[in-house]
Amino acid sequence: MTTDLPTTEDEWRIRLTPAEFRVLREAGTEAPWTGEYVDTKTEGVYDCRACGAQLYPSDTKFDSHCGWPSFDDAIPGAVKEIEDRTHGMVRVEIRCARCDSHLGHVFRGEGFTAKNTRHCVNSLSIRLDPAV
């Protein structure tokens, strides 16, 4: 995990690619079905692409057929939830608890899993650390 975090958005711009910056720091969204982890089944842990904090164990990933990687739970304390009223909707944004980078949104009550929760995450927000 990266120990020194940028303190300004200009420092984040240096650390991240333009696409990563748009998603992670400007709360953008990658196009559906384009992310590298949509169909990944590899075991491991998904880390925050910005700071390296562990976010999601691979055993919480499931196929929601929504076009983005979906998880039914995060590592306790790894993400924070923020009300998002953009785009004429009321949603719950999820961000990395360590570096405050945008990950995606969480939806509840859809019935996809026993936990009844879907963390809809941009592939550009995460990086898989495969199990050895």
Side-chain angles (χ1 to χ4, degrees):
M1 178 181 346
T2 304
T3 55
D4 295 327
L5 295 179
T7 57
T8 68
E9 293 307 302
D10 286 337
E11 290 172 350
W12 280 113
R13 276 185 207 283
I14 293 167
R15 177 176 288 189
L16 303 169
T17 68
E20 291 169 343
F21 184 86
R22 185 181 62 76
V23 170
L24 288 157
R25 304 307 302 172
E26 297 179 326
T29 302
E30 64 194 357
W33 306 108
T34 63
E36 67 181 301
Y37 299 122
V38 173
D39 296 316
T40 301
K41 305 283 190 234
T42 305
E43 291 183 17
V45 176
Y46 289 87
D47 301 335
C48 175
R49 195 175 289 231
C51 74
Q54 292 186 331
L55 302 172
Y56 299 99
S58 61
D59 64 357
T60 65
K61 190 173 187 287
F62 68 96
D63 292 325
S64 67
H65 307 287
C66 71
W68 292 273
S70 296
F71 304 86
D72 71 354
D73 208 355
I75 293 170
V79 302
K80 62 183 178 179
E81 299 182 4
I82 299 167
E83 185 178 276
D84 176 2
R85 291 186 169 266
T86 61
H87 306 293
M89 299 178 266
V90 178
R91 300 180 292 174
V92 178
E93 178 186 6
I94 46 177
R95 293 186 189 179
C96 174
R98 182 166 185 263
C99 70
D100 201 38
S101 289
H102 174 76
L103 303 172
H105 290 86
V106 63
F107 302 93
R108 293 184 174 84
E110 298 174 319
F112 285 118
T113 69
K115 292 186 179 179
N116 212 11
T117 301
R118 175 173 58 100
H119 289 233
C120 184
V121 180
N122 292 284
S123 288
L124 283 169
S125 295
I126 53 178
R127 182 167 282 122
L128 176 62
D129 182 13
V132 178

